[in-house]
Amino acid sequence: MGATQGIGRELAAEYARRGNEVTITGRTVQRAEAEAARLAAETEGSVSGSGLDLSRPESVADALREVGPVDRLAVAGMIRDSNTVASFAIPAAVTLATTKIVGYAAVVAALYGRLAPDAAVLLFGGMAKDRPYPGSTVLSTVNAGIVGLVRTLSVELAPVRVNSIHPGAVADSPAWVDNQAILEPLRKVSLTGELPTMRHIVDGCLFLLENPAANGVNLTLDAGRA
């Protein structure tokens, strides 16, 4: 879910290369289908696209009615906002909270009956939950909420496994690649002197999705901070 660009797209491409039937979603069916066609051509795999707007959770079940059965589910779709208590934009806050908490849960609920017994679910969070910054009021809150969602879903969906991944700044992702003024100071406080790449995050996703012992895990991938 949410795999028309960035890490979600790279994860979908990896599964397509491995010979899996992959479905990706985007906010519009046109974008999802176009990106699916590009991925299929790049990977020589089976990729289809479907429209899904996580900010409208009441539409999720209908959007996913033809998807399944499901062996691996990654929910990566998100939006970003810049919101502070001093100038709190309620509509933007509601949209982000709805997308990341209600929308994610709605996806799992819609596919609940189509998850294989050995299926795995992966939810995307982020390090704003632990390291808030100016404007991250709502983003920090919803990313922290993903931890709670993982806990309750891993119990409720057992034996289906549920995990989350929380990247820091990802140097080559579309969200960060043009922000070198921000990335350089982050490299300086990284314990390795480097920042994760999308490949590194995809490898972490594969661990959480494929390792049978990984369940209820909230994995941080940021190269370490003092």
Side-chain angles (χ1 to χ4, degrees):
M1 308 296 115
T4 56
Q5 64 176 343
I7 298 165
R9 186 187 191 278
E10 294 303 306
L11 181 59
E14 180 63 29
Y15 273 104
R17 290 188 196 100
R18 295 181 177 207
N20 299 281
E21 293 184 16
V22 176
T23 298
I24 66 169
T25 70
R27 288 178 197 158
T28 69
V29 65
Q30 294 85 358
R31 181 178 180 184
E33 289 180 344
E35 202 56 52
R38 281 189 282 269
L39 275 170
E42 290 173 17
T43 63
E44 299 183 349
S46 174
V47 186
S48 60
S50 180
L52 177 69
D53 185 350
L54 291 170
S55 70
R56 298 178 57 244
E58 68 280 357
S59 70
V60 165
D62 187 58
L64 298 177
R65 66 187 182 280
E66 296 182 4
V67 174
V70 177
D71 296 305
R72 301 290 183 266
L73 172 61
V75 190
M78 70 167 296
I79 57 174
R80 298 177 185 274
D81 80 342
S82 181
N83 220 335
T84 65
V85 170
S87 56
F88 198 62
I90 291 176
V94 169
T95 299
L96 177 52
T98 300
T99 296
K100 203 71 182 277
I101 301 298
V102 184
Y104 276 31
V107 168
V108 177
L111 296 175
Y112 174 70
R114 286 167 269 170
L115 293 171
D118 61 348
V121 176
L122 178 63
L123 308 180
F124 275 64
M127 285 311 297
K129 71 180 177 64
D130 296 320
R131 301 192 191 105
Y133 53 85
S136 77
T137 302
V138 183
L139 186 60
S140 293
T141 302
V142 297
N143 282 347
I146 292 297
V147 174
L149 192 56
V150 164
R151 177 58 182 151
T152 189
L153 290 179
S154 64
V155 173
E156 187 172 356
L157 300 185
V160 170
R161 296 180 298 107
V162 184
N163 299 295
S164 69
I165 191 161
H166 298 268
V170 180
D172 60 346
S173 73
W176 289 98
V177 70
D178 292 325
N179 289 309
Q180 292 303 314
I182 297 175
L183 292 178
E184 220 29 65
L186 291 175
R187 284 191 182 93
K188 291 179 180 178
V189 297
S190 164
L191 293 179
T192 65
E194 299 293 340
L195 295 174
T197 65
M198 289 195 290
R199 182 67 246 177
H200 298 147
I201 307 304
V202 167
D203 286 346
C205 293
L206 293 170
F207 161 70
L208 294 171
L209 286 164
E210 299 303 329
N211 190 308
N215 194 22
V217 175
N218 300 288
L219 179 64
T220 294
L221 287 181
D222 65 353
R225 290 277 291 274

